[in-house]
Amino acid sequence: MANTQLKNELIAYSKHIGIDKIGFASADPFVTLKSRLEEQQNLEFQSGFEKGTLEERTKPELLLPEAKTIISIALAYPSKLKNPPQSKKGDRRGIFCRASWGEDYHHILRRKLNMLEEFLVNKVPSATSKSMVDTGELSDRAVAERAGIGWSGKNCAIITPEFGSYVYLGEMITTLDLPEDRPIFDQCGSCNKCVDACPTDALVQGGQLDSNKCIAFLTQTKELLPEKYRKKIGNRLYGCDTCQVVCPENKGKNADHHSEMIPDPEVVKPKLLPLLKLSNREFKEKFGGISGSWRGKKPIQRNAIIGLAHYKEIESLPDLYKLMHEDPRPVIRGTAAWAVAEISKNDDVYQQLLKAEQTESVAEVSVEIKNSLQKLGNGFKPLEKEMKNL
Ligand code: SF4
Ligand code: SF4
């Protein structure tokens, strides 16, 4: 009874500090999740960003001795840009996914969880707790599902009836025994829109994701991207929203009541060409505050080059040549070598690639240059004709 009262006080306080949803789950081991994670591991579907062992990720007690309850919180974020700048020919723009708009959500959630923790300690000084956001061992989604925040959609996101899947999730494990909430039943039904819309078939079946194919993960890698995915990435600089945008549960959902989450359109939909020329300091100044910058400048610049190729942005060729010849990072040289041949098949591109071939010393970049030369050779009619006439 006393704990029901404490739970109600926590709920009231959470509303007071701007938490949109709160739910309470038992800290029992996540048995189903464990077998799902094992399957993911066996199928090699994991992203490599996961933290902790399988045991730690599924047994809250290993993270906090005598854990009894996990409190799950959700904060709703905006899905629409006000006055979005246009992406025009000669001045193309890329896009960061919605979850990375506004202030880095790790900071926002951490502040809220700290406040909740303080509140709890004031009420029950003997209670201990441990909070985590996204980068912790526990699965935010499995906790949120158990705590009744929303159901786990076929797109692998937690879908809340109030805000759709546009919610940030965080949780706090506590030694306090608080009454549990009931999970919400799965409402996807026969809908399969997210699975059908995924550009890379990463949603293997409803609710199972092959991270190696998922654009959201691919945009965060630091290596050369497999060629088959480059054209699928389009103008995405970080993350992918497709399986959320097509979801009927997200229709009309645009929570804009948290001022710190309101995005700056020039940051989250930036011009591609200037992005290629930013120093580390300039990059940090402009993008350092959003979560989409956590992997640094290189993956964003690699993706910007892919975006320019996607738009066949002829005006970018001089800058891409410069990167291909002079950039110290092989990933950038290699991606530029691929991009120039995607953008144009003229003789200038061919000559620039030949020049780069002579000076390139890194094998994987040389492969990119050779592939582009081959591509041009095949489709480059004037040169072929000239050669036949000799
Ligand atoms: Fe597919 Fe994009 Fe969703 Fe990943 S984030 S599953 S690539 S639609
Ligand atoms: Fe579920 Fe349909 Fe939304 Fe996919 S698109 S998560 S199947 S409701």
Side-chain angles (χ1 to χ4, degrees), residues 35 39-40 88 276 342 382:
S35 51
E39 194 188 344
Q40 290 282 103
K88 289 182 272 192
L276 301 182
E342 286 296 311

Side-chain angles (χ1 to χ4, degrees), residues 57-74:
R57 291 164 66 198
T58 52
K59 286 192 180 145
E61 216 184 36
L62 294 180
L63 306 172
L64 181 76
E66 293 181 51
K68 294 280 184 313
T69 308
I70 314 178
I71 303 173
S72 172
I73 65 166

Side-chain angles (χ1 to χ4, degrees), residues 153-155 159 188 191-194 247-249:
K154 287 182 193 169
N155 59 4
I159 304 180
C188 284
C191 176
N192 209 41
K193 285 193 171 160
C194 51
C247 177
E249 301 292 333

Side-chain angles (χ1 to χ4, degrees), residues 151-157 159 165 186-197 203 206-207 242-250:
W151 76 92
S152 184
K154 287 182 193 169
N155 59 4
C156 297
I159 304 180
S165 59
D186 185 332
Q187 292 169 41
C188 284
S190 59
C191 176
N192 209 41
K193 285 193 171 160
C194 51
V195 178
D196 296 340
L203 292 166
T242 301
C243 57
Q244 295 202 85
V245 170
V246 298
C247 177
E249 301 292 333
N250 282 337

Side-chain angles (χ1 to χ4, degrees), residues 38-56:
E38 274 165 353
E39 194 188 344
Q40 290 282 103
Q41 236 173 26
N42 294 338
L43 292 166
E44 296 182 355
F45 281 178
Q46 294 191 311
S47 68
F49 294 140
E50 297 85 2
K51 188 178 174 196
T53 61
L54 264 191
E55 293 291 307
E56 285 165 340

Side-chain angles (χ1 to χ4, degrees), residues 68-103:
K68 294 280 184 313
T69 308
I70 314 178
I71 303 173
S72 172
I73 65 166
L75 295 180
Y77 59 81
S79 69
K80 288 191 172 42
L81 273 184
K82 275 191 191 128
N83 305 319
Q86 294 306 306
S87 179
K88 289 182 272 192
K89 190 165 165 26
D91 208 6
R92 293 295 188 183
R93 289 172 182 266
I95 189 80
F96 282 81
C97 72
R98 287 161 175 78
S100 73
W101 292 0
E103 185 189 347

Side-chain angles (χ1 to χ4, degrees), residues 155 194 197-200 202-203 209 213-216 240-244:
N155 59 4
C194 51
C198 175
T200 54
L203 292 166
L209 177 78
K213 287 183 176 177
C214 176
I215 292 171
C240 167
D241 281 328
T242 301
C243 57
Q244 295 202 85

